[in-house]
Amino acid sequence: MTTAIQHREDLTVSSSPPARPAGADPAPPGRRLRAPGRALGVGVVGLWLSVIVLLPLAALTVASLEQGLAGSWEAVTSPAALAALRTTLLVSAVVALVNSVMGTLIAWVLVRDHFPGQPIINALIDLPFALPTIVASIVLLSLYGPNSPIGVQLNATRWGLIVALAFVTLPFVVRSVQPVLIELEREVEEAAASLGASASTTFRRVVLPTLAPAIISGTGLAFARAVGEYGSVVLIGGNLPRETQVVSQYIQQQIEIDRPVNAAAVSVALLSVSFLTLFVLRLWGSRSQRRQERTS
Amino acid sequence: MITVSSARKNYGDFLALDDVELEIPSGSLTALLGPSGSGKSTLLRAIAGLETLDAGVVCIAGVDVSREPPQRRGIGFVFQHYAAFRHMTVRDNVAFGLTIRRRPKAEVRRKVDELLEIVGLDGLQHRYPAQLSGGQRQRMALARALAVDPQVLLLDEPFGALDATVRADLRQWLRRLHDEVHVTTVLVTHDQQEALDVADRIAVLNKGRIEQVGDPVSLYERPANDFVMSFLGSVARLAGHLVRPHDIVLDRDLAVVQRDDARAPSSPGVVSAAIERVVRLGFEVRVELRANTGERFAAQITRAEADRQRFVAGETVHARATRPLDATDTDPSLAI
């Protein structure tokens, strides 16, 4: 009984940011009641993340080290693997950048302008999430492939990859910017105008900094999705080594020629890059976010 | 001086401003007072250029600015919900109007420091708006508006989002600030107490029209019509006359009530009424009565008077209006 209470107090104290000596300031009754619930929550989340995310990642890392550190380093730095990594990162960066601009613009139009058919356009944004990506690839191939009805051939080019990935990652920036834009008070822009700021100055100095955390986080998600994408590029990309072969295709190829360790090693490299990117973007985004948050 | 003439504004079927004429003298602190939907905010925003009029002319300092955007009207605007730039520090917020005009850094710094001192935020210049209280945020917004040396300062319900004590403090502070900086100020409010407290002129609006313009005393004492009368304070109906509750004498002795002296000049008849409830509200006491004609009204008496008379619910007393306020009795020249 006493140990249970002791444990609860430890939990309350350790989870509240300003650490207080245990027992010196007894937690209010509401808090004490919530503590066991919180322990349960943390436990469930820990278990779930372990089973779904951490264990597979750990297994992957172990698999990649089957031939030792040197072996996996060799696998990652082989010219073909490096080329695939380079292509993937380059194309994903371009797509993320394009998304950050176009996604913000689309969100702006959807929130600020009113035109007939707007709800339909709004619903359309999520479609890339609902469509199997292979279907996107087929559609893009029939539109921009060798028999293109509009005379634009993008198959087996990096432009083809960019178009496919831009389609798949469209919703991320739009959907993260939209709610922030809805929350943004018009009065703030009016205040800037009353102080003499032109529309473009207001956008640059007032609106954009407010949207920045949302744009950054949306762009990060789009980048991560593009890095790992397989289905939508498999047909239109053409899988040309050193040209349009992306990492996911390279990995698939390694598995097909029975080199699972190489596949695992490259996967781990890809994971590390993605995780680092997401982590840095999140840190950057949350720093600008923190200033704006209401503390009251 | 701000002149608004024949201002008209429709929102669909709703007539927000109906041929409004208004003159605001230089250096005054004018309150636009009215219930919600009366058009007072629309009028203020039309002066600022944040709202375009369907018809009419707005002149600031003799210049027709009707077609100018807000950027070129020489205004400072303060919003009810502060409209703070949340990603900027207090200093950057106040400096905004100056930095976008590319003023020299030293000048900006000097001016901002000076303003922060005036509004009592010196020492907080590195905070973010989220780290300020509501009252502090509004003072920051005021400093930001004053930084660009506006010809007119426009305040849209500036204390509406604050709690009662902060609101009272801040409006007295605003009055003192106005006495110091003398910039022509227009304040929108729905709170008659606030208007009577800070403004030296009040324009009462109702349904898109201006009902009356004048100084607080004449509006309170000589309202042009029933609307102005009831909007500026509570009224009681006594023997067919409208009267402020504090202008009613109550006594058990008929002779005392009828006595015609300086304190209670001659006025219409005496009514006898039953006391239904006696409510002590701090320094004053409200007596709720029911006249023998069946009409209910409330009288306001001082605590000293209440202590002397010791009214209790149920007893019958005599009541007389000492200064009936009927619109018909007032000077018609005051009406616009």
Side-chain angles (χ1 to χ4, degrees):
Chain A
M1 189 58 199
T2 41
T3 52
I5 288 169
Q6 193 69 47
H7 176 70
R8 277 185 213 166
E9 270 177 0
D10 285 352
L11 198 91
T12 344
V13 170
S14 64
S15 56
S16 59
R20 274 173 282 148
D25 182 5
R31 239 186 181 191
R32 191 167 289 194
L33 275 176
R34 235 186 297 137
R38 197 181 298 172
L40 187 66
V42 170
V44 169
V45 169
L47 187 68
W48 181 254
L49 283 182
S50 302
V51 170
I52 298 295
V53 185
L54 295 177
L55 271 178
L57 289 188
L60 183 68
T61 314
V62 168
S64 75
L65 291 172
E66 221 160 77
Q67 290 172 354
L69 212 59
S72 56
W73 179 249
E74 209 171 297
V76 173
T77 53
S78 77
L82 274 184
L85 270 171
R86 212 168 19 237
T87 305
T88 305
L89 293 181
L90 179 76
V91 167
S92 301
V94 170
V95 166
L97 226 62
V98 168
N99 261 312
S100 69
V101 177
M102 288 313 293
T104 307
L105 187 67
I106 292 170
W108 183 274
V109 169
L110 285 178
V111 172
R112 287 297 170 86
D113 293 336
H114 295 280
F115 50 87
Q118 196 178 20
I120 297 171
I121 302 287
N122 198 6
L124 220 60
I125 300 294
D126 289 328
L127 223 52
F129 277 160
L131 210 60
T133 47
I134 188 77
V135 175
S137 207
I138 293 167
V139 170
L140 289 173
L141 190 66
S142 62
L143 193 59
Y144 301 123
N147 306 318
S148 168
I150 53 171
V152 181
Q153 294 189 7
L154 298 176
N155 61 311
T157 66
R158 286 189 175 170
W159 288 113
L161 294 181
I162 289 172
V163 170
L165 292 176
F167 174 81
V168 173
T169 58
L170 171 73
F172 290 103
V173 175
V174 179
R175 289 302 183 227
S176 57
V177 170
Q178 230 174 352
V180 183
L181 208 50
I182 290 169
E183 287 284 300
L184 184 71
E185 306 153 276
R186 291 303 276 270
E187 290 187 350
V188 173
E189 287 160 69
E190 290 177 346
S194 77
L195 292 166
S198 64
S200 69
T201 307
T202 303
F203 184 78
R204 203 160 32 83
R205 302 190 73 137
V206 176
V207 177
L208 207 54
T210 312
L211 297 183
I215 296 176
I216 292 168
S217 106
T219 306
L221 288 173
F223 177 80
R225 180 79 168 84
V227 163
E229 178 57 17
Y230 178 75
S232 65
V233 294
V234 73
L235 294 180
I236 191 145
N239 202 9
L240 300 177
R242 287 159 211 260
E243 255 311 304
T244 62
Q245 186 179 59
V246 294
V247 174
S248 52
Q249 287 172 316
Y250 179 80
I251 291 167
Q252 160 100 10
Q253 196 183 47
Q254 292 302 305
I255 290 168
E256 276 167 0
I257 59 173
D258 205 19
R259 284 187 190 144
V261 180
N262 283 6
V266 175
S267 302
V268 170
L270 188 65
L271 263 174
S272 315
V273 171
S274 289
F275 182 74
L276 207 69
T277 314
L278 283 178
F279 187 71
V280 169
L281 285 180
R282 185 135 297 237
L283 217 62
W284 182 25
S286 67
R287 183 178 301 169
S288 45
Q289 178 87 58
R290 217 172 305 133
R291 294 180 190 162
Q292 297 178 21
E293 262 165 19
R294 285 161 188 277
T295 47
S296 51
Chain B
M1 169 115 138
I2 307 170
T3 320
V4 178
S5 36
S6 319
R8 179 173 276 275
K9 176 78 183 173
N10 279 292
Y11 294 112
D13 288 341
F14 180 70
L15 188 56
L17 293 177
D18 185 3
D19 270 327
V20 168
E21 306 277 340
L22 182 65
E23 277 194 3
I24 294 162
S26 297
S28 72
L29 201 172
T30 301
L32 304 180
L33 175 67
S36 54
S38 60
K40 56 192 191 303
S41 276
T42 307
L43 181 56
L44 190 81
R45 291 171 60 85
I47 294 171
L50 296 171
E51 212 74 67
T52 44
L53 291 171
D54 296 341
V57 176
V58 176
C59 291
I60 296 176
V63 182
D64 180 358
V65 294
S66 310
R67 277 178 184 70
E68 296 286 347
Q71 287 92 335
R72 287 213 291 270
R73 292 196 180 193
I75 52 149
F77 203 101
V78 173
F79 298 84
Q80 180 177 1
H81 298 288
Y82 327 121
F85 303 141
R86 289 193 279 163
H87 60 287
M88 294 183 197
T89 59
V90 170
R91 164 175 291 284
D92 292 343
N93 262 276
V94 176
F96 184 83
L98 299 171
T99 24
I100 60 165
R101 284 174 174 74
R102 299 177 202 284
R103 294 278 171 76
K105 278 222 170 82
E107 185 198 322
V108 174
R109 172 167 284 272
R110 190 173 41 75
K111 179 111 198 185
V112 171
D113 283 342
E114 190 187 305
L115 279 163
L116 286 175
E117 205 184 315
I118 290 177
V119 302
L121 289 178
D122 40 342
L124 301 180
Q125 53 265 57
H126 299 300
R127 297 252 186 114
Y128 284 91
Q131 297 166 306
L132 300 181
S133 71
Q136 288 172 331
R137 274 183 231 181
Q138 202 54 298
R139 280 184 281 152
M140 180 192 81
L142 214 62
R144 183 176 68 178
L146 287 172
V148 294
D149 285 325
Q151 288 181 303
V152 295
L153 183 61
L154 306 170
L155 312 168
D156 192 1
E157 302 256 7
F159 313 130
L162 304 169
D163 52 45
T165 46
V166 181
R167 193 175 347 183
D169 277 356
L170 212 53
R171 72 190 185 209
Q172 273 151 36
W173 173 83
L174 175 72
R175 183 66 233 186
R176 285 199 301 275
L177 180 77
H178 181 263
D179 293 340
E180 257 174 63
V181 291
H182 282 303
V183 57
T184 310
T185 304
V186 187
L187 169 106
V188 158
T189 179
H190 63 268
D191 179 349
Q192 86 279 0
Q193 208 70 38
E194 190 168 294
L196 293 170
D197 192 348
V198 295
D200 35 47
R201 290 179 86 246
I202 298 176
V204 181
L205 278 91
N206 182 31
K207 293 181 181 158
R209 299 185 141 273
I210 291 191
E211 300 279 358
Q212 190 175 2
V213 183
D215 62 285
V217 174
S218 63
L219 253 66
Y220 190 79
E221 308 260 326
R222 294 185 298 281
N225 54 40
D226 285 6
F227 178 80
V228 176
M229 178 170 18
S230 55
F231 200 74
L232 275 165
S234 45
V235 282
R237 183 172 286 276
L238 188 58
H241 297 273
L242 290 163
V243 60
R244 300 268 181 225
H246 49 74
D247 290 334
I248 297 175
V249 284
L250 288 182
D251 208 298
R252 296 190 185 86
D253 185 348
L254 183 63
V256 173
V257 175
Q258 277 175 326
R259 190 162 50 199
D260 189 9
D261 58 23
R263 206 167 52 89
S266 69
S267 64
V270 175
V271 172
S272 62
I275 295 179
E276 294 195 313
R277 190 161 169 248
V278 180
V279 191
R280 287 184 166 259
L281 301 163
F283 64 92
E284 60 186 31
V285 176
R286 189 174 74 227
V287 184
E288 295 172 8
L289 305 113
R290 188 191 169 101
N292 49 13
T293 56
E295 241 173 351
R296 282 202 166 82
F297 62 98
Q300 221 168 52
I301 59 177
T302 63
R303 202 169 54 182
E305 179 75 1
D307 285 347
R308 190 179 65 77
Q309 302 229 36
R310 297 188 182 286
F311 291 127
V312 289
E315 67 177 312
T316 302
V317 293
H318 302 285
R320 181 168 69 92
T322 57
R323 296 170 71 155
L325 266 181
D326 297 344
T328 47
D329 296 349
T330 53
D331 181 359
S333 69
L334 277 167
I336 295 282

